[in-house]
Amino acid sequence: GTASPGALTWWGGLLLLLYAQGSYAKMVTLGRSLARAGRTAEDSKMQAIGARVEGGGLIGLGQVAEGTALLAATMPADPTAGGLGAVEAASLLSAAYLAMGEMDRCAALSERMLAAAEQAGDQVLTAVYTVFLAGVCYVRGDWDRGRDMVGRVQEFFAASSSPMAVRVAGVLVPALIWQGAWQQARAYLEEIGRAHV
């Protein structure tokens, strides 16, 4: 049958735990099962969550093209229609696009999701998408805008205890290094290392 909001929250928590543990193969298996159950129950929300989890697991396993295609297919045209779950899931897709050198796709998706995060008042997701857009700026040579965005994100994470600081370090630290701010990059890594060990 259709999953209750509590059941979907439970599944979401379990799958985030698997992602944090690096259990990508389990994510693929459980994501497929959840998507299949969603199709059977005609529950589009459950089906979308399952597809996102499977896509995230595939990306984690290095099957980036297949994972990004699956994740992209689950992204709603209007990010606010999919709720914050869609906005959160899109962060993995944006990161994959950035890593693949797909700057146009990364920028388009990140701008849409940044607007949705700001509208929802979610400061952590706002910072995450700002980091991705900063990465795009650096790759495109728009150093001033990228530097401004990096500064805003650093200010946010300096005033926050969010564990998301660890997840965006892979984009933020190279941006600082590209600026020539080696000591700042090192200090940032040491700070998040102390805060999240």
Side-chain angles (χ1 to χ4, degrees):
T2 301
S4 69
L8 290 175
T9 300
W10 181 85
W11 271 98
L14 171 65
L15 297 163
L16 280 174
L17 178 62
L18 291 175
Y19 179 75
Q21 292 173 333
S23 300
Y24 304 125
K26 285 184 183 178
M27 285 178 64
V28 171
T29 301
L30 289 174
R32 284 180 182 157
S33 295
L34 191 57
R36 190 168 37 252
R39 278 191 299 277
T40 302
E42 297 182 358
D43 185 331
S44 61
K45 189 170 184 180
M46 187 191 320
Q47 187 176 348
I49 290 170
R52 288 179 198 143
V53 169
E54 180 184 355
L58 289 168
I59 290 170
L61 290 171
Q63 298 174 35
V64 180
E66 187 180 351
T68 55
L70 193 55
L71 272 174
T74 70
M75 291 299 117
D78 175 9
T80 57
L84 279 179
V87 179
E88 289 171 3
S91 67
L92 183 57
L93 184 56
S94 284
Y97 284 153
L98 187 61
M100 294 165 60
E102 296 275 357
M103 295 304 117
D104 290 342
R105 286 184 175 176
C106 180
L109 180 61
S110 295
E111 286 167 359
R112 283 179 37 227
M113 296 302 164
L114 175 60
E118 288 174 335
Q119 183 178 342
D122 190 310
Q123 292 183 317
V124 173
L125 286 174
T126 296
V128 167
Y129 285 107
T130 302
V131 167
F132 294 141
L133 289 170
V136 169
C137 287
Y138 278 109
V139 171
R140 290 179 170 169
D142 190 352
W143 289 69
D144 291 338
R145 184 167 180 234
R147 191 176 302 118
D148 177 57
M149 290 179 161
V150 165
R152 280 187 274 150
V153 171
Q154 281 186 285
E155 287 174 15
F156 169 75
F157 283 123
S160 163
S161 60
S162 171
M164 192 62 81
V166 173
R167 291 180 64 188
V168 299
V171 178
L172 191 55
V173 170
L176 291 168
I177 292 169
W178 294 334
Q179 291 178 145
W182 299 290
Q183 294 295 359
Q184 200 174 358
R186 181 184 180 115
Y188 180 74
L189 285 172
E190 289 172 352
E191 179 183 333
I192 63 170
R194 282 190 301 274
H196 301 286
V197 170

